Amino acid sequence: MTLTRRTSWHRHVFAWLVSIAFMACFPARSQQPPPAADPALNAPSAHTPNRKSFFARWADFYRQDWAPATAPSPSPAPARRGLPSPLDSPPFPNADWSYGGSPVIGEPDTNSYPLMTAINNASGRTKLYGWVDPSVNFSTSSSRNLPEANDSYSNRLELNQLVLYAERLPDSVQRSHIDWGYHLTALYGTDYRFTFAKGYLSGQWLNHHRQYGFDPTLEYLDLYIPNWFQGANLRLGRFISVPGIEAQLAPNNYIFSHSLLYSIDPFTDTGLIATIKLDDRWLVQAGITGGHDVALWAPDAKPSATACISYTAPSANDNLYACANGINSGKYAYNNLQQYDSTWYHKFSKSVHMATEAWYMYERDVPAVGGSVQPETGANAAYCFPGRQRCTAPEYALVNFLQKELSTHNFLSFRTDFLDDKKGQRTGYATRFSENTVSGSHWFGTTVQLRPELRFERAWDRPVYGNGLHQNQLTVASDLIFHF
């Protein structure tokens, strides 16, 4: 594994791990009734006395998950308010067609995690959990796989993500009282490059270009209001940019590497967003943020509007989700992208489904490459027409994921991707890109996931890869997600 020099952010990670050990030794008592055990995770019953040590209980969870002594008996489906879930999870990342900015309204929180089972036998609503995600890749490019995301460094073994969550989900199944939740994320690894926002420890990348870094990726509060239509959630804080199939956190994706479409669109927003479930089919969202990938106190922050609408067919076999994301004057600033995004999910059969996403983005008054106007640090200039000092820089992209479920532990995914960075402002190259990836996913129990892939991409109008020498790039890669 290639490492940069040791930084103070290692101490942040160490502090998180020390806090886990402390909680393990001194678990807090909970007054909440224990949730039903998640049959997918084969956790021990919260009602069963357990006098074993913390580490013995932790080891027992994995032992039962990977090689259960007896097949788990079917459990009754937990309470759920809404249409049935269209997918099996696992093996897929989600059981429902996803939307951002809110937990799934009407879905119960039944997950039990190895760490929380070891701490307090999964008896409370506040949960600590996470994963370790190392990866390896081999590429025809010698130094960087850009514009790939998640395996941008060529031909190496690396730690993409070490993530710890602290989370409490609001109870959105009930309709009798207001409830609340929160979420905190600590992320360390090479993937901080694809999560950081200007003003949130951003000097690690913008000033020093460190390969490894730390990012507090998500910090927000949720307030669930049951009597607004069929339920509403208000989220305040820093959250993942709302539209899209893919997400920054490794377990939320079909494939290890990310699409070209994902690699250059917004990552996180800070602000307030309301998600309102009108009925089982219709859902609307409206929010105001400080703009994409900037903290509210950053000089680039400006009031920006987000509005989305989601429709799910009564059969739950189709979902359409459209968003206008981060809309303001559109004038050039750090990642001030004006994004219009649409997603279509379709289920062909019990085992086959697809997800398709398209977006159009632009910024106005972007400085010209080689012109007299200096671009911002970390925000590229554009290849404007000769003689222009500024211009509008647009780009559009389209991606399709096709999935085949083989069993509760295995699925195949095929991704086709196209990006036209018309002025080169997002990738640094004014060209059209295409990408095709085939990937397999295998679960060991419900706590370890292996995702090998084969990826081919092409820059159609000029050499881009291998420091501008080649138009094609081939990568073979895999990651392994170990949940704790």
Side-chain angles (χ1 to χ4, degrees):
M1 182 183 297
T2 303
L3 294 172
T4 56
R5 64 184 182 88
R6 189 177 182 87
T7 74
S8 63
W9 306 119
H10 291 74
R11 292 194 290 272
H12 286 273
V13 178
F14 180 74
W16 275 96
L17 297 176
V18 169
S19 69
I20 293 173
F22 181 85
M23 293 185 67
C25 295
F26 304 99
R29 294 185 179 181
S30 171
Q31 300 302 316
Q32 298 291 336
D38 183 353
L41 292 177
N42 301 317
S45 169
H47 299 286
T48 303
N50 195 335
R51 299 183 183 279
K52 293 183 178 180
S53 70
F54 165 78
F55 291 104
R57 294 194 300 271
W58 204 351
D60 279 349
F61 189 105
Y62 290 109
R63 187 179 300 112
Q64 294 176 29
D65 184 59
W66 298 338
T70 59
S73 58
S75 300
R80 176 185 173 87
R81 183 165 56 82
L83 297 172
S85 296
L87 305 177
D88 295 326
S89 180
F92 297 119
N94 303 298
D96 296 280
W97 307 128
S98 60
Y99 53 84
S102 171
V104 177
I105 296 175
E107 182 178 67
D109 177 18
T110 60
N111 288 323
S112 297
Y113 301 99
L115 180 60
M116 287 310 300
T117 300
I119 291 174
N120 63 11
N121 217 17
S123 61
R125 290 184 62 186
T126 292
K127 300 179 181 182
L128 295 176
Y129 65 101
W131 58 87
V132 182
D133 182 33
S135 72
V136 63
N137 79 87
F138 303 94
S139 172
T140 55
S141 295
S142 58
S143 59
R144 296 291 183 92
N145 296 327
L146 298 177
E148 280 194 30
N150 285 52
D151 56 348
S152 56
Y153 297 94
S154 306
N155 301 306
R156 66 184 65 188
L157 173 70
E158 58 192 8
L159 175 62
N160 290 76
Q161 297 181 9
L162 169 59
V163 172
L164 179 64
Y165 278 175
E167 177 182 80
R168 182 188 195 271
L169 294 178
D171 181 359
S172 64
V173 176
Q174 55 82 27
R175 308 253 347 253
S176 61
H177 62 272
I178 292 174
D179 202 6
W180 60 276
Y182 71 90
H183 185 102
L184 301 172
T185 298
L187 182 150
Y188 176 80
T190 58
D191 283 359
Y192 91 100
R193 162 69 181 85
F194 304 105
T195 67
F196 84 90
K198 189 173 184 180
Y200 290 103
L201 308 178
S202 52
Q204 299 171 89
W205 179 259
L206 294 180
N207 299 334
H208 303 292
H209 278 75
R210 290 174 178 146
Q211 180 181 349
Y212 284 85
F214 173 84
D215 182 46
T217 310
L218 305 173
E219 305 91 25
Y220 56 77
L221 297 172
D222 280 330
L223 182 66
Y224 168 68
I225 303 175
N227 55 2
W228 286 9
F229 294 89
Q230 294 295 311
N233 190 80
L234 303 181
R235 178 164 291 180
L236 175 66
R238 185 184 180 201
F239 46 84
I240 290 176
S241 182
V242 176
I245 299 168
E246 299 164 86
Q248 287 83 336
L249 290 314
N252 297 340
N253 299 283
Y254 292 117
I255 295 175
F256 156 55
S257 71
H258 281 295
S259 66
L260 298 165
L261 174 146
Y262 165 90
S263 65
I264 65 169
D265 70 4
F267 295 137
T268 64
D269 295 333
T270 303
L272 173 67
I273 187 165
T275 302
I276 303 173
K277 183 178 180 179
L278 301 179
D279 57 32
D280 287 346
R281 293 175 295 168
W282 292 96
L283 179 138
V284 295
Q285 297 177 296
I288 184 167
T289 69
H292 298 309
D293 299 317
V294 295
L296 296 181
W297 50 87
D300 298 79
K302 58 183 66 179
S304 307
T306 293
C308 304
I309 185 169
S310 173
Y311 172 78
T312 303
S315 65
N317 287 339
D318 287 276
N319 173 268
L320 297 173
Y321 184 42
C323 290
N325 189 29
I327 306 304
N328 53 49
S329 66
K331 189 173 182 179
Y332 174 77
Y334 184 81
N335 276 10
N336 190 34
L337 300 163
Q338 309 300 287
Q339 183 187 33
Y340 297 90
D341 185 284
S342 62
T343 304
W344 173 36
Y345 297 95
H346 177 68
K347 182 178 177 180
F348 294 97
S349 66
K350 178 176 173 55
S351 63
V352 179
H353 74 276
M354 74 171 188
T356 303
E357 181 182 0
W359 56 239
Y360 173 76
M361 303 191 306
Y362 70 92
E363 287 187 74
R364 296 173 45 245
D365 299 333
V366 179
V369 173
S372 60
V373 181
Q374 185 68 22
E376 280 204 36
T377 300
N380 292 335
Y383 288 91
C384 303
F385 290 120
R388 298 281 302 276
Q389 293 299 309
R390 292 181 180 269
C391 62
T392 297
E395 49 275 330
Y396 66 89
L398 175 69
V399 65
N400 176 265
F401 291 81
L402 180 64
Q403 280 67 235
K404 168 64 176 176
E405 181 176 354
L406 304 177
S407 70
T408 56
H409 292 273
N410 298 279
F411 73 88
L412 297 175
S413 185
F414 179 72
R415 182 177 64 209
T416 303
D417 189 16
F418 179 81
L419 164 68
D420 189 352
D421 191 2
K422 300 184 79 66
K423 298 293 179 65
Q425 198 268 329
R426 298 302 295 163
T427 64
Y429 299 96
T431 185
R432 297 167 296 163
F433 296 88
S434 65
E435 171 259 328
N436 292 278
T437 299
V438 60
S439 170
S441 173
H442 174 70
W443 284 90
F444 299 88
T446 60
T447 51
V448 179
Q449 186 181 13
L450 181 68
R451 299 185 296 185
E453 66 173 62
L454 176 65
R455 172 175 175 144
F456 176 77
E457 52 199 297
R458 177 173 176 80
W460 289 90
D461 303 311
R462 57 175 298 178
V464 166
Y465 305 105
N467 296 318
L469 298 177
H470 308 290
Q471 287 186 257
N472 300 322
Q473 180 174 269
L474 179 69
T475 55
V476 179
S478 181
D479 73 336
L480 185 145
I481 306 173
F482 185 94
H483 294 261
F484 57 82

